[in-house]
């Protein structure tokens, strides 16, 4: 386990069949000390009562047979092994389901990217055409002339501001990295995936701010939806 912690508590019950063990050396030393104290403070009186030893702490300890200890240890280890086996199986099943769902989200995201890529070229040409038409309508019926070179310059600037090719290239690279992380079963990539998703969202937001095309805007919303689902799921990935 690389995240969190596990606490195991073991409790045994039932008494021992063996008699309590007496620490004879401790008992003898305690009796000698009591007798010495009696001789010092009350010389000539009878020695300390034997029953006084019962009040001396630590003279008796519970006897536990070694065979019983070994049997208990074996049971505890067997139970722990079974629990860990079930835990690992449950974690594998959950991780497999999680990876399947995340791949499905990534597949839908890729589909929306394809739509954006196909629409981007057409949307740019349409935007340039609308700009020319708007200018032509504004100048219609007037004596004002328009420098064709200046018009083409404005059209080029509009196309440059709306160009999303670089964002799509970076999104492709991030999507490949995300798919590779999901396919790697030998290491944990939760933090890496989380970082990649942040970068993907950044590129999607840039695409949305650059484009005025309604189809691309809708695709951007769908892409954000899939990224939000992935972001939520990655919280369960180490």
């Amino acid at each position: 386990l690389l995240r969190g912690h596990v606490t195991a508590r073991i409790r045994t019950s039932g008494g021992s069949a063996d008699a309590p063990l007496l620490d004879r050396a401790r008992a003898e030393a305690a009796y000698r000390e009591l007798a010495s104290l009696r001789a010092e403070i009350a010389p000539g009186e009878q020695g300390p009562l034997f029953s006084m030893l019962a009040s001396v702490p630590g003279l008796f300890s519970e006897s536990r047979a070694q065979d019983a200890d070994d049997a208990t240890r074996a049971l505890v280890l067997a139970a722990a092994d079974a629990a860990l086996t079930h835990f690992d199986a449950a974690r594998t099943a959950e991780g497999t389901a999680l990876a399947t769902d995340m791949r499905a989200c990534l597949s839908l995201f890729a589909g929306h990217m394809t739509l954006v890529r196909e629409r981007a070229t057409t949307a740019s040409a349409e935007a340039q055409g609308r700009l020319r038409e708007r200018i032509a309508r504004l100048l219609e019926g007037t004596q004002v002339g328009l420098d064709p070179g200046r018009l083409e310059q404005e059209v080029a600037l509009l196309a440059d501001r709306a160009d999303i090719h670089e964002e799509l290239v970076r999104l492709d690279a991030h999507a490949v990295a995300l798919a590779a992380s999901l396919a790697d079963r030998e290491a944990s990539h939760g933090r890496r995936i989380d970082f990649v998703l942040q970068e993907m969202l950044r590129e999607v937001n840039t695409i949305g701010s650059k484009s005025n095309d309604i189809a691309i805007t809708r695709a951007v919303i769908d892409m954000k939806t899939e990224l939000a689902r992935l972001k939520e799921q990655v919280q369960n990935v180490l």
Side-chain angles (χ1 to χ4, degrees), residues 75-96:
L75 288 173
V76 169
L77 292 178
D81 185 67
L84 291 174
T85 298
H86 288 300
F87 169 79
D88 199 48
R91 182 169 59 173
T92 299
E94 181 182 356
T96 300

Side-chain angles (χ1 to χ4, degrees), residues 9-66:
R9 291 184 176 88
I10 302 168
R11 176 183 299 173
T12 61
S13 61
S16 172
D18 298 335
L21 295 179
L22 171 65
D23 187 342
R24 298 181 65 87
R26 184 181 180 86
E28 291 173 358
Y31 189 83
R32 286 195 299 269
E33 289 297 322
L34 290 172
S36 176
L37 180 62
R38 173 63 65 86
E40 180 179 343
I41 63 177
E45 293 189 10
Q46 186 180 1
L49 296 175
F50 190 77
S51 61
M52 294 178 62
L53 287 177
S55 63
V56 178
L59 291 185
F60 292 92
S61 62
E62 183 181 356
S63 173
R64 296 189 59 84
Q66 185 62 38

Side-chain angles (χ1 to χ4, degrees), residues 79-183:
D81 185 67
L84 291 174
T85 298
H86 288 300
F87 169 79
D88 199 48
R91 182 169 59 173
T92 299
E94 181 182 356
T96 300
L98 190 62
T100 299
D101 183 71
M102 294 182 73
R103 290 191 188 97
C105 292
L106 186 58
S107 178
L108 291 174
F109 182 90
H112 299 314
M113 275 188 60
T114 299
L115 187 151
V116 170
R117 185 179 290 105
E118 293 173 349
R119 182 63 186 158
T121 302
T122 304
S124 178
E126 291 176 354
Q128 295 174 37
R130 287 193 299 270
L131 177 61
R132 289 189 176 92
E133 292 175 1
R134 186 177 301 114
I135 292 175
R137 286 197 303 271
L138 290 173
L139 297 179
E140 186 177 358
T142 69
Q143 300 298 321
V144 178
L146 179 64
D147 182 3
R150 179 61 184 273
L151 175 60
E152 293 306 317
Q153 182 180 7
E154 292 298 326
V155 169
L157 288 174
L158 175 65
D160 183 65
R161 287 195 297 267
D163 182 48
I164 57 175
H165 175 73
E166 293 183 4
E167 286 76 12
L168 290 173
V169 170
R170 286 192 289 269
L171 270 179
D172 281 331
H174 293 325
V176 170
L178 179 56
S181 296
L182 291 175

Side-chain angles (χ1 to χ4, degrees), residues 210-228:
K210 281 187 173 184
S211 177
N212 292 321
D213 182 73
I214 185 63
I216 293 180
T217 299
R218 289 172 178 169
V220 164
I221 293 174
D222 291 334
M223 293 163 75
K224 287 184 177 181
T225 300
E226 298 308 323
L227 288 178

